[in-house]
Structure formats: structure tokens, C-alpha cells
């Protein structure tokens, strides 16, 4: 790997599935490759990048399916998802402010799915949260008992393109 976002395999092909890159504010990069070719291993790489990221840094997510059990969203850490990047959370919401005032941006073309019971794709609880999401292709959830997007605070939110829910309300604002 020469430090670029793409990973060149020994046979000369380019691997982009499940590749997560953390771009530090000084321009250096760390690559997080999954330890196996599974959705869970790709999800672990995603969470590892988030854990290592500091405010002002960018996480770039290549195409692939990522399964997590932890919510995404860290103050000051921005995200970019390439087309074909699909993040499914099995146990909690995909994006959250964890009831803390945070600010972050999500861009690109990811698909975000909440696959658990009574879960939303995005849930904010703190009134001062400021989350900007632009260019997203799909936000959806696969449970019939909750909204795809639940905003409990009075933060600022920008959503472009589609927000969908497989059942009931697509957006729930409290």
C-alpha cells in the first residue's frame, strides 16, 4: 500500500471492498483493513477508525457491507461514504449523538440501515447537537415499530436526497 485510499493487491488488482481510511488533519493516513472478508470484520474496521479519529479528521469508507453493534458519530470527526458502502447496525441506532452535544458531517453515498427492534437510523437527544448529512442515498430501517429518523433535540440538520423507512413514519420529530 502506498498510502492512498485504494489498496493494490499483490496481483495488481485494486481492492476497495471494506477499506476504511482515516485521514488525519495533517494529511497523513491510516488504513483500516478488515481481518476477514465478512460484514462484521468490515464493521470492526469502521469502529476502529472512529475510535482512533480525533476532532478535525475524516473517515473515508469504500464500498462494502459493514455490520456494527456500536453507533457511529463522534464530535468533530467527519465521514465520506463511497457508492456501495452499506452500514447495518444490529443492536442500536446507526448514527447517534449519545445524548451529548456533538457536531459532525456525513457526506457521500452511503446506505444506513437499522436492523433491530424499536431502533432508528439516526437518533439525536441533545438540543445542541449539529449534524450535517449531505448527498446520502438512503436512510432506512427494517423494523415496523419505529421511525427511520428520530430527532429529539433542537440541533441543526441538513438532509439531501432520500430518507426512507420500510415501515411507518420515515421521520419522527419530538
Amino acid at each position: 500500500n502506498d498510502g492512498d485510499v485504494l489498496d493494490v493487491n499483490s496481483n495488481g488488482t485494486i481492492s476497495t471492498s471494506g477499506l476504511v481510511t482515516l485521514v488525519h488533519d495533517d494529511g497523513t493516513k491510516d488504513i483500516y483493513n478488515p481481518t476477514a472478508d465478512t460484514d462484521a470484520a468490515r464493521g470492526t474496521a469502521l469502529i476502529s477508525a472512529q475510535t482512533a479519529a480525533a476532532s478535525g479528521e475524516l473517515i473515508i469508507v469504500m464500498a462494502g457491507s459493514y455490520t456494527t453493534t456500536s453507533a457511529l458519530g463522534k464530535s468533530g470527526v467527519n465521514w465520506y461514504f463511497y457508492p456501495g458502502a452499506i452500514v447495518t447496525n444490529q443492536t442500536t441506532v446507526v448514527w447517534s449523538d449519545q445524548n451529548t452535544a456533538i457536531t459532525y458531517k456525513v457526506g457521500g453515498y452511503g446506505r444506513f440501515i437499522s436492523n433491530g427492534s424499536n431502533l432508528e437510523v439516526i437518533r439525536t437527544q441533545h438540543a445542541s447537537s449539529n449534524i450535517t448529512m449531505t448527498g446520502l442515498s438512503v436512510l432506512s430501517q427494517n423494523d415496523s415499530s419505529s421511525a427511520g429518523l428520530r430527532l429529539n433535540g433542537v440541533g441543526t440538520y441538513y438532509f439531501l436526497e432520500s430518507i426512507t423507512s420500510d415501515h411507518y413514519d420515515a421521520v419522527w420529530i419530538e
Side-chain angles (χ1 to χ4, degrees), residues 10-69:
S10 59
N11 64 2
T13 62
I14 296 176
S15 171
T16 59
S17 181
L19 193 65
V20 180
T21 302
L22 171 57
V23 181
H24 301 284
D25 55 0
D26 66 0
T28 60
K29 301 172 187 170
D30 290 324
I31 307 293
Y32 292 83
N33 284 310
T35 57
D37 189 21
T38 66
D39 294 358
R42 286 186 286 274
T44 298
L46 192 69
I47 297 303
S48 294
Q50 174 176 271
T51 300
S55 183
E57 297 181 336
L58 171 68
I59 297 173
I60 300 171
V61 182
M62 300 303 287
S65 294
Y66 302 78
T67 299
T68 69
T69 57

Side-chain angles (χ1 to χ4, degrees), residues 46-123:
L46 192 69
I47 297 303
S48 294
Q50 174 176 271
T51 300
S55 183
E57 297 181 336
L58 171 68
I59 297 173
I60 300 171
V61 182
M62 300 303 287
S65 294
Y66 302 78
T67 299
T68 69
T69 57
S70 300
L72 301 178
K74 186 173 182 179
S75 194
V77 176
N78 300 316
W79 299 78
Y80 183 85
F81 290 84
Y82 275 83
I86 302 168
V87 178
T88 302
N89 196 306
Q90 300 289 0
T91 60
T92 187
V93 298
V94 178
W95 296 98
S96 177
D97 66 2
Q98 305 296 324
N99 201 19
T100 302
I102 65 174
T103 298
Y104 61 86
K105 295 178 182 178
V106 179
Y109 303 93
R111 179 174 184 191
F112 308 105
I113 302 167
S114 172
N115 210 24
S117 177
N118 295 312
L119 299 178
E120 296 77 36
V121 175
I122 302 170
R123 181 186 300 156

